[in-house]
Amino acid sequence: MTSRKRALVTGGATGIGRSAVLALAKAGYDVAINYGSSAQAAQATAAEAHALGARTLVLQCDVSNEPAVRAMMQTIDEAWGGLDALVNNAGTTASWKVKDLESLDLDEWDRTFAVNVRGTFQVTRAAVPLLRKGDAPAVVNTASIVGLRPGPQPLPYAASKAAVVNLTKTLAWNLGPAIRVNAVAPGWMEGDWMERMLGEKYETLMGARAKATPLKRCVTADDVAEVILNLLTANRFVTGEIVVIDGGFTAST
């Protein structure tokens, strides 16, 4: 047996998920890394976590698929006998032309909600029996600043993150006092996601956002992972909260 705690990070191969996996590994957790399609990246992240002393499980699962989610939890339970932490980070978005409602594909809308909202619920529900075996168990969901205020992001993505905000609060009410549930809401984040969203305007727009931010830069995946870890390991009387991570931008605009 090991004294290390056990965590599951969905969407754990890249971006915020990868940073969360590594932060948890450094903090003494063994980490199950869920991925949808990024198998090579998931294995690379697992290798990095293993180098930090963590046991890892690498688990392919579409979080919108209920039987697959249940099977993933069974695998974790059989391997580790429970969970102490869950990070619901798996997410997707849709494509559209800004302010052109007709450019939205409703199949993409449905897929975005299936992963971002239904997936968050399904994974949490299936994890509850494992978390109840854990030590001071906690859940952190990845929301977004666009779930709290309007922006140029695709409507289904923004609406799904608003749903995650509500779901976080509702789950906190339903799962307390045994399990705490909080969420992080990153602002404009450096990296691949925003590069895809902003295209050739990435450098210009990110630079302008950093200049308008009190802390004079945009958020990184490591910034988000730091807050996720704190919500899991400390803040023991905090549940149902949404922590905005944007360097003070929304507080000053």
Side-chain angles (χ1 to χ4, degrees):
M1 295 294 291
T2 177
S3 60
R4 296 176 68 91
K5 290 191 174 184
R6 305 145 298 177
L8 165 62
V9 179
T10 68
T14 61
I16 292 171
R18 172 185 172 276
S19 288
V21 167
L22 299 183
L24 286 160
K26 290 176 186 176
Y29 283 77
D30 294 326
V31 191
I33 301 163
N34 159 263
Y35 71 95
S37 58
S38 304
Q40 187 173 357
Q43 291 292 345
T45 298
E48 290 183 84
H50 183 72
L52 294 168
R55 295 182 302 171
T56 60
L57 296 171
V58 179
L59 303 166
Q60 194 282 329
C61 169
D62 178 349
V63 298
S64 72
N65 183 319
E66 168 75 354
V69 167
R70 296 286 186 180
M72 177 173 67
M73 291 303 170
Q74 183 175 351
T75 298
I76 295 170
D77 202 22
E78 290 174 353
W80 291 348
L83 283 170
D84 304 284
L86 167 62
V87 179
N88 281 308
N89 177 69
T92 190
T93 189
S95 56
W96 82 316
K97 292 176 64 176
V98 177
K99 296 188 177 181
D100 180 1
L101 303 189
E102 294 296 337
S103 69
L104 277 169
D105 184 308
L106 291 182
D107 287 339
E108 287 193 39
W109 178 291
D110 291 343
R111 176 63 182 164
T112 300
F113 267 77
V115 173
N116 296 1
V117 185
R118 175 174 166 166
T120 295
F121 172 73
Q122 287 183 161
V123 171
T124 303
R125 179 172 66 176
V128 165
L130 283 72
L131 290 164
R132 291 194 185 280
K133 301 177 186 180
D135 177 24
V139 178
V140 176
N141 301 323
T142 300
S144 170
I145 194 64
V146 303
L148 298 170
R149 58 181 288 170
Q153 287 77 8
L155 268 69
Y157 179 76
S160 74
K161 291 303 185 178
V164 170
V165 166
N166 181 277
L167 185 60
T168 297
K169 295 175 180 291
T170 306
L171 286 170
W173 187 87
N174 279 275
L175 297 180
I179 301 169
R180 295 184 303 110
V181 186
N182 293 290
V184 292
W188 283 28
M189 193 175 79
E190 296 177 7
D192 293 346
W193 182 277
M194 288 301 292
E195 286 181 10
R196 292 195 297 272
M197 294 297 103
L198 301 178
E200 62 184 18
K201 296 181 180 179
Y202 174 79
E203 294 292 342
T204 300
L205 293 177
M206 292 292 282
R209 178 59 63 101
K211 186 177 180 180
T213 297
L215 296 187
K216 300 305 178 187
R217 64 176 178 84
C218 293
V219 66
T220 68
D222 287 346
D223 294 328
V224 181
E226 180 180 50
V227 177
I228 289 172
L229 182 63
N230 285 337
L231 287 170
L232 292 171
T233 61
N235 303 295
R236 294 303 175 88
F237 203 61
V238 175
T239 193
E241 292 299 326
I242 315 302
V243 181
V244 174
I245 312 166
D246 70 349
F249 179 83
T250 55
S252 59
T253 57

